[in-house]
Amino acid sequence: MTWLTLDTWIVATSALVAIACVLPGCFLFLSRQSMMSHGISHAVLPGIVIGHLVTGEVDTPALFIGAILAGVACAVLTRFLQRLSGVEEGAALGISFTTLFALGLIMQRLFADNVHIEPNHILMGNLEVAVFSSISPESQLPETFIKAGIAALVNLFFVVIFFKELTISTFDPNHGDSVESRPRLMYYLLMTLSAVTCVVAFEAVGSILVVSMIILPPAIASFFTKNLKHLIILSVLFAVLGCGLGHVLSITTFGPLFAKAFQLNDYSSTNTAAGITVVLCIMLVIGIVQSKLIRKG
Amino acid sequence: MKAPVLEANHMTVCYDKKPAVWEASMSVPAGCLAGIIGPNGAGKSTFLKAVLGIIPRTSGSVSFFGEPYKKVKQRVAYVPQRESVDWDYPISAREVVLMGLYKSIGLFRRKTKEHVLQAEEALDRVGMLDYAGRQIGELSGGQQQRVFLARALVQKADLYMMDEPFAGIDATTEKVILELMQELKQNGSTVLCVHHDLPTVADYFDHLSLLNLHVVASGPIDEVFTKEQLMKCYGGRLELLTKLTESLGRLEALKA
């Protein structure tokens, strides 16, 4: 195994993305809203396209803001559908995010087909490519690394500042309302940050694997602790560990296998995000097994 | 005259256009132990949730202490049904009780020793101090109910609204809740309970409302807890219930 500076950047960037994902992820997981992240991560597409249509550019903050608004719209729409029609939350989410995603696809095909907003790219992401685009020609610092770092910091700040409020509103929102801890505001703040995180995480891991980064670490940690603060810290540790091991797995195992299958010499460009998810899944299995053993023992 | 602690005027609540509570009016005077009883699916929990605005009201008005709920939230503590939350949530009994102190801790601030002491004192009052550090999922149903009560106690409210606090609990918890209700009454607070067990009604409450979609009767217990009124509320099912309790009583007697 040859380890290059690039590998370090890949691991460091994915670790920051994972930390950013895990922090709101813990509360989504605990309030049984994990799949909201899946919805949000898809629903941002129309926001990106509209942002592009308004500004005519691809690389502007407008895209980012559009994406966040669309993500939050998905959460609002889901609640609205649920209240209006009385369908269960999962179904309401299924309707709202697929509708928004489809809307985004149509708009993109109609108005922005010539621009590089690849749905495929959004779905799959590419960490290996993402770390190549640095913030300036002289520097090696990847732009994604900076963005993920900012997202992780913002989320950390949010969780630390609003820890009490988040706990009350995810454990018992009705009680939150009666003691005036603003559970509804907290819900939408959590959704906003999830949207921000999803958008940032896209470039690195794609919108499908974002979901695994949001859900898996808290799910694993829940097998090892019954304390909320410990759960969050453990989730972060598991996520970072998963990123390191995942990349090693993908360059030592998946890469060579892939190269052999297609008879290529260069096998450095496998999907690290997939490796990370596989490692996280293995960790989850370990968590399940040990919790069963403890219960028996 | 003092305003009633809770007054509902012609309140209607609908689920899917079907009314769950119809034109319900109720007035609960201060300082009493009030019960709401009625058959299954009569809208008792719905009534409680709707007066608190947890579920939307279709029509009618509600006031607490003569004011809208928003103005007096701090004076009302709500103890929901146990099943309404996820008991696997990774927090301890103490942390749940501390949630009741949210307002006194305040935004952007951390809890102090004083808050922890208050929470532990409330846990002590319900006999749960030894379990303060336990994760809530490890507690029995009755113990979970007592944690919820402690969370309401620290709110130091004037009105405690409890949704089926006696459902599925052990004898110790029942005793604790009853003693607590008496204590709260003596301190001038009011307790309003949704209840389902007819035989205990007369022992627990001094004010009663019979609810079956609408309020059949409401007032002092000796005026409301009569056979005629109960027949009106429970209909034919009451006959069945009395027969059932009678035969159960006979069974108990046989055992003894």
Side-chain angles (χ1 to χ4, degrees):
Chain A
M1 178 175 88
T2 43
W3 191 270
L4 310 169
T5 328
L6 188 67
D7 292 304
T8 311
W9 280 126
I10 289 174
V11 171
T13 305
S14 62
L16 281 182
V17 171
I19 293 170
C21 287
V22 156
L23 291 169
C26 282
F27 288 99
L28 287 175
F29 173 77
L30 289 174
S31 57
R32 315 215 154 183
Q33 307 225 25
S34 305
M35 285 319 278
M36 193 54 102
S37 61
H38 183 72
I40 288 178
S41 67
H42 282 74
V44 294
L45 185 63
I48 294 177
V49 178
I50 292 174
H52 165 70
L53 289 177
V54 172
T55 58
E57 285 172 64
V58 183
D59 202 17
T60 94
L63 262 62
F64 190 66
I65 293 163
I68 292 164
L69 289 179
V72 176
C74 173
V76 175
L77 196 63
T78 303
R79 281 222 154 173
F80 178 71
L81 274 175
Q82 210 185 338
R83 281 216 157 191
L84 193 76
S85 63
V87 294
E88 52 131 348
E89 189 176 0
L93 177 63
I95 298 165
S96 65
F97 94 80
T98 46
T99 308
L100 285 168
F101 188 67
L103 213 69
L105 273 183
I106 293 168
M107 283 197 292
Q108 194 236 341
R109 283 274 175 265
L110 283 180
F111 310 114
D113 210 17
N114 54 340
V115 213
H116 183 77
I117 315 173
E118 276 267 355
N120 194 32
H121 188 72
I122 292 176
L123 285 176
M124 304 306 292
N126 199 333
L127 197 55
E128 293 77 359
V129 175
V131 292
F132 268 121
S133 64
S134 49
I135 44 167
S136 66
E138 310 87 60
S139 145
Q140 265 201 321
L141 210 58
E143 203 185 311
T144 319
F145 177 83
I146 301 290
K147 281 187 189 163
I150 294 171
L153 274 180
V154 169
N155 288 354
L156 182 68
F157 185 73
F158 172 69
V159 167
V160 170
I161 293 286
F162 293 116
F163 186 77
K164 284 195 308 288
E165 289 78 8
L166 283 169
T167 314
I168 299 180
S169 60
T170 49
F171 173 66
D172 189 351
N174 291 337
H175 181 255
D177 187 54
S178 84
V179 293
E180 297 174 88
S181 72
R182 302 180 171 273
R184 209 171 273 217
L185 178 69
M186 280 302 131
Y187 173 80
Y188 286 114
L189 265 176
L190 188 61
M191 291 306 155
T192 310
L193 284 186
S194 304
V196 173
T197 310
C198 283
V199 178
V200 170
F202 274 164
E203 292 177 33
V205 294
S207 71
I208 292 179
L209 294 177
V210 164
V211 182
S212 75
M213 284 201 166
I214 287 179
I215 302 171
L216 277 170
I220 300 164
S222 71
F223 288 112
F224 294 93
T225 179
K226 294 278 179 207
N227 176 301
L228 181 54
K229 280 179 187 153
H230 296 171
L231 181 102
I232 297 172
I233 295 166
L234 268 185
S235 301
V236 167
L237 290 178
F238 285 144
V240 172
L241 187 68
C243 291
L245 292 178
H247 185 60
V248 171
L249 181 73
S250 84
I251 58 174
T252 55
T253 314
F254 295 165
L257 281 177
F258 182 76
K260 218 180 227 172
F262 293 92
Q263 293 171 345
L264 301 168
N265 292 323
D266 176 25
Y267 51 75
S268 59
S269 67
T270 50
N271 200 320
T272 290
I276 294 170
T277 306
V278 170
V279 168
L280 289 176
C281 285
I282 293 170
M283 286 158 81
L284 184 74
V285 172
I286 295 172
I288 295 171
V289 170
Q290 76 86 31
S291 79
K292 292 273 182 250
L293 286 180
I294 283 179
R295 224 171 273 168
K296 270 190 184 167
Chain B
M1 205 187 100
K2 243 168 118 183
V5 285
L6 168 64
E7 183 148 47
N9 281 315
H10 304 283
M11 186 180 79
T12 296
V13 186
C14 293
Y15 285 128
D16 256 344
K17 287 180 188 166
K18 259 200 260 159
V21 170
W22 182 255
E23 292 271 323
S25 299
M26 189 186 295
S27 175
V28 180
C32 69
L33 300 177
I36 299 179
I37 60 167
N40 282 336
K44 303 181 295 272
S45 289
T46 306
F47 178 85
L48 221 56
K49 286 182 193 152
V51 292
L52 290 168
I54 293 170
I55 47 179
R57 298 186 285 266
T58 313
S59 64
S61 66
V62 173
S63 67
F64 290 86
F65 314 101
E67 307 250 20
Y69 176 53
K70 270 198 178 135
K71 276 196 174 167
V72 287
K73 271 187 178 177
Q74 289 305 307
R75 298 176 66 187
V76 182
Y78 170 55
V79 183
Q81 273 183 29
R82 227 173 47 239
E83 297 79 41
S84 67
V85 301
D86 173 14
W87 293 94
D88 284 334
Y89 202 99
I91 43 174
S92 65
R94 188 191 289 111
E95 287 167 305
V96 172
V97 179
L98 277 164
M99 287 181 183
L101 289 166
Y102 174 78
K103 197 75 179 176
S104 99
I105 298 173
L107 193 67
F108 305 128
R109 325 242 332 246
R110 291 178 171 276
K111 59 172 189 279
T112 62
K113 266 193 185 145
E114 180 57 34
H115 294 121
V116 177
L117 279 177
Q118 275 185 53
E120 290 184 345
E121 191 208 310
L123 279 168
D124 197 23
R125 274 173 81 184
V126 296
M128 287 293 293
L129 188 56
D130 293 343
Y131 300 89
R134 288 278 187 94
Q135 194 262 327
I136 50 173
E138 295 167 7
L139 305 174
S140 74
Q143 291 171 329
Q144 291 174 342
Q145 188 68 52
R146 281 189 266 161
V147 171
F148 262 1
L149 278 175
R151 182 180 70 176
L153 279 180
V154 294
Q155 289 179 251
K156 297 207 166 55
D158 294 318
L159 171 63
Y160 293 84
M161 302 191 33
M162 309 182 183
D163 198 348
E164 301 256 14
F166 295 101
I169 55 166
D170 49 283
T172 323
T173 306
E174 186 178 339
K175 200 169 149 254
V176 168
I177 301 178
L178 283 175
E179 282 170 7
L180 209 63
M181 279 167 52
Q182 292 298 337
E183 213 180 300
L184 289 171
K185 187 187 165 179
Q186 268 158 26
N187 295 339
S189 298
T190 310
V191 179
L192 177 64
C193 266
V194 165
H195 194 58
H196 69 291
D197 185 38
L198 276 179
T200 49
V201 167
D203 302 331
Y204 292 179
F205 305 111
D206 49 29
H207 183 279
L208 189 68
S209 302
L210 300 179
L211 188 78
N212 191 357
L213 200 62
H214 64 280
V215 176
V216 176
S218 181
I221 185 101
D222 35 313
E223 283 171 28
V224 176
F225 199 56
T226 61
K227 196 161 182 209
E228 299 79 66
Q229 300 285 20
L230 287 171
M231 278 298 280
K232 258 199 253 168
C233 182
Y234 284 82
R237 272 183 282 181
L238 185 67
E239 295 288 331
L240 199 72
L241 275 174
T242 26
K243 269 182 200 155
L244 202 70
T245 25
E246 269 171 25
S247 54
L248 277 175
R250 240 177 276 140
L251 198 72
E252 289 293 312
L254 273 177
K255 269 188 194 165

